[in-house]
Amino acid sequence: MPQLALSVAAIAAPPNIVVLVADDWGFGDIGALGSEISTPHIDSLARRGVTFSNFHVASTCSPTRAMLLTGADHHRVGVGNMPESMPAQHEGRPGYEGVLSDQAVTLATQLKDQGYHTYITGKWHLGKTPDKLPGRRGFERSFIQADSGSDNWENRTYMLLYDKAYWFEGEREATLPKDFYSSKFVVDKAIEYMSAQGDNKPFFTYIGFQANHIPIQAPKEFVDAYQGKYDAGWPALRQARHDSAVRLGLFPGQAEMATMQRGLDWNALDADERRLQSRRMEVYAGMAQAADFHIGRLISHLKKTGQFDNTVFVFLSDNGPDPADPLSIAASKYWVRANYRTDGPDLGAKGTFSANGPRWASAIAAPWSGFKYFASEGGVRVPLIIAGATGALTDKRSNAFTTVKDIMPTLLDLAGVAAHGATYQGAPAVTMDGRSMVPLLTGRADAIYRPDEPVGYELAGSASLHKGNYKLVKNIAPVGDGQWRLYDMAKDPGETQDLREELPALFTSMQADYAEYAKNNNVLPIPEGFDLHDAGLRYAVHHFFLPKLRAALPALLAGLALLVGGVWWLRRRRAQARPA
């Protein structure tokens, strides 16, 4: 049975805080929530705290990170959408700057002002001009990857979206070590920063893993541990994860699970294709286990230095599993194959490129519907563990509805820091929307949102509103048709039984609630015909092709000048050689 530890007031000193942000992990990717993937170190944190099974984030990375660091809706702090998926009509509009607003007070800023050391390593994705890097947002030391991702083995971009990989230490572009592997490196750097502080002040350390963002890559010893594990294909994995969720009481046994998105008959694949596809999933599992291994190294360091017992740990994923497969998109397929190997027994190694595709993503997201980019639970319902020096219950699971906006007020509460208001140090500030989860951590409450309290969300045209047990949701193509639907999440968390005709009054009132949310948060309507792939292609033109063209232009002009000069010289020589 869970045991109640010290009360928050009884914590002797302000706790250290370590936030671990995984990238594109599905709800069932950790052992504590039923995964077949080995995550013993993350599971050990779950045993020391509370695992939240009804926790919601944005369906893509930078909006989640903006809410995590500010406690406010992403539209209110400048990240209404990722720059990489922004409609042209939204660019530069208020709330859609694509970088963190100057009026957003970050968790790092508040903790630093209260005497904390503040460090960040790994993925940032909230701006890469000098005024938008972590050093200007409250972080004392930083070594970050500024965009949505990069190669995990070397310093190069992973897609046509960027002209290069942007790594920064402080405000200077940085080089990477020869033995670089992303999960190892971000932990190494965090340990380096924490080891060098030289005083007894508490620290806030934020580690943004690239695991498991594409390109999915991992050391061979981790990948090979899963050899043959996924040979039955994505239907078997989706069913197995559903069954685990039912067994653990995370999904009602009588509830229906949604049909797999964009399904393909596994048995219709030939043997070679099945082998390649199962190897892709082996690499995915290996990458997650590698991240867990390096989290274990961090835990060991904190134990050796006597910091472990007074450290609060937060582990979460930024969104659900990624359905993208660049090899299925004409614009990127040839570039990927020109720069990477995409099959073979060493898939996952340096120089190789792997991705989930929609079918593995659907299986990883089980028992929920959907995946990254969309407002169905598979895209926004992810693992959250809060553990350690919280004065909290241990080895407990909470099914209370919570959001990523609740993390900052929770950590401020645990640190004994008052939440800021509409001004901060004399300047206008965006106030927090989130609620402290400390009542859930300590067992004083079983909910932080009232049953009649609406909680809205929107990103790139897909949107939802939770109110008590009910969820109003719409998704854009290709997952949805842009129409609102209504589900009873207590009975139907798989989002299979639309109740809009059965409960018309509730359906109408929740639409009104959503309209109020959209108005208050300056949510812009998505343009008709908006397509995520087209938005990504447009971003690639501006941030990959045009920079490459500008960089090559002097050489092209010089070559053209030489060509023109050469032709002129040859014609002149011929003219001189003609008899008078």
Side-chain angles (χ1 to χ4, degrees), residues 59-82:
S59 62
T60 62
C61 46
S62 56
T64 289
R65 292 160 200 271
M67 290 190 280
L68 168 60
L69 286 171
T70 67
D73 189 273
H74 55 293
H75 299 88
R76 298 177 59 229
V77 293
V79 194
N81 199 345
M82 292 197 308

Side-chain angles (χ1 to χ4, degrees), residues 340-409:
Y340 288 96
R341 287 175 288 114
T342 57
D343 56 16
D346 67 338
L347 194 64
K350 188 175 183 177
T352 70
F353 188 108
S354 186
N356 291 331
R359 300 165 191 94
W360 281 126
S362 290
I364 293 164
W368 317 122
S369 172
F371 33 54
K372 181 179 178 179
Y373 304 115
F374 303 98
S376 298
E377 295 293 279
V380 297
R381 189 162 172 168
V382 298
L384 170 68
I385 296 168
I386 302 179
T390 62
L393 295 165
T394 59
D395 199 17
K396 182 182 184 297
R397 196 167 64 228
S398 171
N399 193 46
F401 175 81
T402 53
T403 82
V404 68
K405 294 180 289 185
D406 303 324
I407 290 177
M408 178 169 169

Side-chain angles (χ1 to χ4, degrees), residues 3 21 109 160 169 215 217 223 373 376 413 447 457 545:
Q3 298 297 313
V21 185
T109 294
L160 290 167
E169 184 160 28
Q217 300 164 318
V223 177
Y373 304 115
S376 298
D413 198 352
Y457 161 78
F545 291 106

